[in-house]
Amino acid sequence: MSISDRFAELARVRDTAQAMAADPSRVVMEKILSPTEAMIAGKPTLLFGTNNYLGLTFDEGVLEAATAAMHEQGSGTTGSRMANGSFHSHAALEDAFAAFYGYPSAMLFSTGYQTNLGLLMGLLRPGDKVVLDAHSHACIYDGCRISGADYFTFKHNDADDLRKRLRRMGDEAEGALVVAEGLYSMWGDTAPLAEICAVAKEYGAWLMVDEAHSFGIYGETGRGVCEAEGILDKVDFITGTFSKSLASLGGFCVSRHPEMRLLRYGSRPYIFSASPSPASVAAAHVALDAVRGRPELKARLWANAERLHDGLRALGYRLASEPSPVIAVQVPSHEEAVRLWNALLNNGIYVNLVIPPAAPDGASLLRCSLSAAHDFDQIDRILAAFGKLGTPSETVLPERVG
């Protein structure tokens, strides 16, 4: 394929989206009013698609820390830590993550995407074996692909299928890497991590868990589904992002293996990317303190999630999972999803439109993400908007299997 052909292909994708009036890139938030509201097309719009789970993007402590860091350390680092050196704030936040998990080592990356890319590219070499959940995020697939490792999928959240995959690998299962996520960002379902961990260890495999959407939300202290499932002493690598519960930009990886520190010498995204900005690091550090010290945020988020989930079920909608901070409404066709998404937007409600290839299993979804900053009045307003979309028989699918 020539470069001209590639641009023509991308133009067809754009034109198809625009013809269906289904181009989320056309949505411009002209002014951010609060963690849960913005001006879109000249009118106030409720935001139910931001992943701002703990609602900390306007938190006074977060904003003050970010502002102070920018004035004290500058607007950016202008280079990688390997080239320009680390700021004290980088090392301090790594120490804070390691202490929070009770692990000996932690690393920061410039984005959540680069965190998984950086870990996988640093760990894997051509010929290594990886078995990953079929619904894994694109950055996990990309990290495996770029590393040159041989990677295979197991059925989503199916520990028995993982066992079959590892059994077929024979002796190569020992030392392989199993990859799963805590909370899957499209369906809003959680992984049976205790079962997956047990299978991985049965075959001598390593386990990596991406807690991007579950950090700060699950577990007694907010350390994610790994904590909730009681496997923090068994999982080998945990990754996460600053851009969800931590209200910033960047990512982290922690490990119970001290050797993870050596990845600094072999992870190309870490070596060759500018390090996180002082403001991003300071904001994430204060947000991490909130995860540890303000459990009322998590309680408020869950109350909102359960209210929306119960309300949508009462309206007759089919939902992709049990209550979680991500509530995905199943829609029978791409065209119907587009119609409903536009109708919600016209009524001052912003949710995520998810159609293939972004949606797993060829599904079409209206994806709602909840925040601790939402109040019950806002939850009731989105329920009222969904109630106006049409009768449930016109807008729902049969219950998802699996």
Side-chain angles (χ1 to χ4, degrees), residues 45-223:
T45 302
L46 287 180
L47 303 178
F48 281 89
T50 64
N51 301 325
N52 188 10
Y53 297 127
L54 297 183
L56 292 171
T57 53
F58 277 79
D59 180 82
E60 184 176 344
V62 170
L63 295 178
E64 288 179 354
T67 302
M70 183 177 293
H71 283 286
E72 293 166 5
Q73 302 170 51
S75 61
T77 61
T78 67
S80 73
R81 292 169 69 180
M82 291 295 282
N84 291 21
S86 296
F87 287 21
H88 170 74
S89 56
H90 293 137
L93 185 54
E94 285 176 338
D95 289 345
F97 272 110
F100 185 45
Y101 276 94
Y103 286 166
S105 57
M107 286 179 65
L108 301 187
F109 291 84
S110 300
T111 68
Y113 180 97
Q114 283 194 326
T115 300
N116 284 335
L117 209 64
L119 175 61
L120 292 167
M121 290 175 65
L123 282 178
L124 302 172
R125 291 295 177 269
D128 289 342
K129 310 300 178 187
V130 185
V131 189
L132 59 150
D133 188 288
H135 285 195
S136 293
H137 191 272
C139 61
I140 295 173
Y141 278 97
D142 289 350
C144 293
R145 186 178 299 114
I146 295 171
S147 74
D150 300 324
Y151 62 95
F152 314 91
T153 62
F154 64 94
K155 293 178 183 177
H156 178 53
N157 279 348
D158 191 332
D160 289 335
D161 193 58
L162 171 62
R163 178 177 282 107
K164 293 175 185 176
R165 296 285 184 180
L166 291 172
R167 186 188 307 129
R168 290 173 193 155
M169 292 169 61
D171 292 342
E172 291 183 321
E174 186 171 358
L177 179 66
V178 172
V179 185
E181 299 183 26
L183 175 69
Y184 286 88
S185 61
M186 292 296 103
W187 288 124
D189 53 346
T190 56
L193 287 183
E195 297 175 39
I196 288 171
C197 182
V199 172
K201 299 311 172 184
E202 176 185 345
Y203 286 86
W206 297 66
L207 177 61
M208 167 188 165
V209 176
D210 178 1
E211 298 265 28
H213 287 266
S214 42
F215 180 81
I217 297 169
Y218 289 85
E220 183 178 355
T221 65
R223 287 178 288 178

Side-chain angles (χ1 to χ4, degrees), residues 4 15 56 80 112 129 132 138 159-160 176 270 282 319 335 369:
S4 296
D15 293 343
L56 292 171
S80 73
K129 310 300 178 187
L132 59 150
D160 289 335
Y270 178 87
L319 308 179
E335 294 76 14
S369 66

